[in-house]
Amino acid sequence: MASFPPRVNEKEIVRSRTIGELLAPAAPFDKKCGRENWTVAFAPDGSYFAWSQGHRTVKLVPWSQCLKNFLLHGTKNITNSSSLRLSRQNSDGGQKNKPREHIIDCGDIVWSLAFGSSVPEKQSRCVNIEWHRFRFGQDQLLLATGLNNGRIKIWDVYTGKLLLNLVDHTEVVRDLTFAPDGSLILVSASRDKTLRVWDLKDDGNMMKVLRGHQNWVYSCAFSPDSSMLCSVGASKAVFLWNMDKYTMIRKLEGHHHDVVACDFSPDGALLATASYDTRVYIWDPHNGDILMEFGHLFPPPTPIFAGGANDRWVRSVSFSHDGLHVASLADDKMVRFWRIDEDYPVQVAPLSNGLCCAFSTDGSVLAAGTHDGSVYFWATPRQVPSLQHLCRMSIRRVMPTQEVQELPIPSKVLEFLSYRI
Amino acid sequence: MYIKLVSSDGHEFIVKREHALTLGTRKAMLRGPEIPSCVLSKACTYFTYKFCYTNSSTVIPEFPIAPETALELLMTVTFLDP
């Protein structure tokens, strides 16, 4: 079974440049499971990188120092030795929010991570909750961790302290995402078939339960304008929710197996979903049309084969910040970088047992987490976007497809704006 | 070497020749449409941005375009460079 379409010569595809790796420290005991790195995340302002190191711990590293370390010490970087060097270098004190490494013991297997930061104008509240002091200051940066037992713990990134413990899910919290508008609204997706909406500014009050999934919910993502939420799950589910009224907008049909990851493009005009049916689909979330299909197995599997154990499950998908590239991880030990206008990858990189991936905040690096708790980093394919594409993104950030269709412009420009070219 | 591009409202933009020839500007100079200065200035800024970051190893920064300008700019560029 081939990994690329027949007309593509696999040897001609460019290999991505490795930037570095963060290897998990040796486990104190030999255990078959519990080491997995199910999730990686970058802080919205690019200051921190976090990943679940396995064995119930999450590691937070200041990102720019981490990058510098990769450049100074070559590509291999064992986390234990690096932390000593970093803390000694930063011994000149006085800075208020000097970024520091933290290892957080969450007390249970960590399945999901998300960074959230408050927009300064929207907050100013000082709340004491039982044994935690919870205050939103200017530079509040939070890390939410979703655990095996259904709990969500909220940590302060700068101090590493626990701020809140959200208890309501009855099963694994498989994904977490903050609304991008800085309102500190958190959505959690769980194997208990629900999604829950939490207001962290209101003591972590749970505002809403989104019901509709018939099976495990694997992932969720907000649209960049925070108006829509996509949730994906087992039994081919891809749902879109209106986040002003918390109602379901539509179900997107097309996948043949569990859908396990989703991500919006930076202008909200495109939605990427990854499934165990070996495919990534690029949808128009405003009308449910499938615009592109990125296959990982050739010839493409029949629905029955796609719906089972086909050894080519796609585990993760992520949109780059330039709105032109998508990265996917599949079980054939490869990371693929795609352009949204080509149906074969423009770059690939080898990766065994990859489980999750995320682009850095500035889009220049892709991080991928693996089964043994490690993280690998590559330079992403970057080029100056065309002026037409930059205009398209600017327009689509404020205009859904239906409005675009009404514009008095030539059909060629209309097709381009609707991402149909 | 520089060339001069003039907008419909009389603004003159002087840009490096090698930067500007990336975008159908030769066409624009010869018999081009009237382009308002808000659009033309953005296009000129893009020329420099593209020249600066093409084949460079530094991180490519964002290039913001206001939505009001974007549609007109897109139409202009599509006309000049079909």
Side-chain angles (χ1 to χ4, degrees), chain A residues 79-342:
Chain A
T79 53
N80 286 332
S81 53
S82 73
S83 60
L84 288 172
R85 273 192 282 263
L86 288 171
S87 58
R88 282 202 198 117
Q89 275 165 16
N90 284 338
S91 53
D92 49 336
Q95 283 174 287
K96 186 179 146 207
N97 279 323
K98 202 170 40 178
R100 285 199 317 241
E101 275 192 16
H102 295 291
I103 295 185
I104 298 176
D105 182 352
C106 298
D108 199 0
I109 297 174
V110 179
W111 285 87
S112 48
L113 284 178
F115 278 97
S117 59
S118 60
V119 173
E121 315 87 69
K122 287 192 185 175
Q123 51 71 47
S124 58
R125 207 180 144 158
C126 185
V127 176
N128 286 333
I129 307 167
E130 295 181 51
W131 61 93
H132 302 298
R133 174 149 315 139
F134 193 38
R135 176 167 41 97
F136 283 113
Q138 276 292 179
D139 303 59
Q140 196 76 12
L141 184 60
L142 307 177
L143 181 69
T145 53
L147 307 180
N148 203 53
N149 57 10
R151 289 181 188 223
I152 301 169
K153 291 191 178 168
I154 312 289
W155 309 83
D156 179 322
V157 170
Y158 295 124
T159 60
K161 291 196 163 53
L162 177 66
L163 295 174
L164 276 180
N165 202 344
L166 307 177
V167 182
D168 214 59
H169 280 296
T170 52
E171 280 259 21
V172 169
V173 176
R174 189 66 181 83
D175 200 14
L176 287 168
T177 184
F178 277 92
D181 58 5
S183 57
L184 288 180
I185 299 285
L186 175 68
V187 174
S188 53
S190 168
R191 282 187 184 168
D192 67 7
K193 312 179 197 170
T194 66
L195 295 116
R196 276 159 218 266
V197 186
W198 314 80
D199 185 352
L200 293 198
K201 286 212 181 88
D202 187 17
D203 311 353
N205 179 34
M206 190 189 68
M207 297 158 47
K208 194 78 187 162
V209 181
L210 299 176
R211 293 184 204 279
H213 281 273
Q214 303 296 312
N215 208 327
W216 290 1
V217 188
Y218 272 93
S219 184
C220 55
F222 264 101
S223 65
D225 63 1
S226 303
S227 66
M228 278 197 287
L229 181 87
C230 173
S231 66
V232 297
S235 312
K236 319 176 189 177
V238 181
F239 296 165
L240 281 174
W241 307 83
N242 174 321
M243 291 311 271
D244 296 315
K245 303 183 215 135
Y246 301 115
T247 53
M248 194 187 293
I249 302 174
R250 65 171 57 84
K251 299 187 184 187
L252 300 179
E253 320 240 307
H255 279 298
H256 300 294
H257 202 333
D258 297 356
V259 188
V260 300
C262 60
D263 199 15
F264 278 90
S265 64
D267 58 357
L270 301 174
L271 172 69
T273 55
S275 166
Y276 287 167
D277 70 1
T278 77
R279 293 175 181 88
V280 164
Y281 279 143
I282 307 290
W283 313 76
D284 180 331
H286 302 281
N287 56 24
D289 292 346
I290 294 180
L291 300 173
M292 288 286 295
E293 177 182 324
F294 294 150
H296 297 69
L297 183 61
F298 293 89
T302 55
I304 291 178
F305 190 49
N310 48 46
D311 282 337
R312 206 53 75 84
W313 289 358
V314 187
R315 299 273 177 176
S316 189
V317 73
S318 194
F319 242 108
S320 141
H321 299 257
D322 62 4
L324 278 175
H325 294 94
V326 169
S328 66
L329 287 192
D331 281 352
D332 63 348
K333 304 193 199 310
M334 262 193 275
V335 181
R336 291 167 168 77
F337 289 98
W338 310 79
R339 277 184 59 100
I340 53 174
D341 50 9
E342 301 273 17

Side-chain angles (χ1 to χ4, degrees), chain A residues 30-85:
Chain A
D30 192 31
K31 251 187 128 177
K32 279 209 163 155
C33 69
R35 304 185 63 195
E36 296 86 359
N37 178 359
W38 291 108
T39 177
V40 289
F42 287 90
D45 61 355
S47 57
Y48 270 93
F49 173 70
W51 83 102
S52 64
Q53 244 184 330
H55 300 302
R56 305 159 186 216
T57 55
V58 168
K59 182 137 187 186
L60 275 167
V61 293
W63 177 235
S64 49
Q65 285 170 6
C66 189
L67 260 185
K68 260 189 238 161
N69 236 37
F70 287 146
L71 294 174
L72 288 175
H73 302 280
T75 57
K76 286 213 179 349
N77 181 0
I78 313 290
T79 53
N80 286 332
S81 53
S82 73
S83 60
L84 288 172
R85 273 192 282 263

Side-chain angles (χ1 to χ4, degrees), chain A residues 346-391:
Chain A
V346 293
Q347 275 190 19
V348 294
L351 179 72
S352 297
N353 302 314
L355 291 175
C356 55
C357 63
F359 279 93
S360 64
T361 317
D362 64 7
S364 58
V365 173
L366 181 79
T370 59
H371 214 254
D372 65 356
S374 305
V375 193
Y376 297 86
F377 300 89
W378 296 270
T380 58
R382 292 277 279 164
Q383 63 213 108
V384 176
S386 69
L387 187 50
Q388 290 95 319
H389 176 66
L390 291 169
C391 291

Side-chain angles (χ1 to χ4, degrees), chain A residues 382 385-388 394-395 410, chain B residues 46 60 65 67 70-71 73 75 77:
Chain A
R382 292 277 279 164
S386 69
L387 187 50
Q388 290 95 319
S394 169
I395 296 166
Chain B
Y46 178 79
I60 303 174
I65 304 177
L71 188 55
L73 182 53
M75 301 285 291
V77 173

Side-chain angles (χ1 to χ4, degrees), chain A residues 321 362 364 382-392 394-395 397-399 407-410 412-413 416-417, chain B residues 23 42-43 46 49-50 53-54 59-63 65-71 73-75 77-78 81-82:
Chain A
H321 299 257
D362 64 7
S364 58
R382 292 277 279 164
Q383 63 213 108
V384 176
S386 69
L387 187 50
Q388 290 95 319
H389 176 66
L390 291 169
C391 291
R392 170 167 64 182
S394 169
I395 296 166
R397 275 197 172 96
V398 298
M399 212 181 274
L407 289 172
I409 53 180
K412 216 183 98 172
V413 182
F416 178 77
L417 268 183
Chain B
L23 259 199
K42 208 62 182 172
Y46 178 79
Y49 170 78
K50 173 160 177 160
Y53 292 106
T54 302
V59 175
I60 303 174
E62 305 248 342
F63 186 82
I65 304 177
E68 311 86 63
T69 323
L71 188 55
L73 182 53
L74 176 60
M75 301 285 291
V77 173
T78 310
D81 223 3

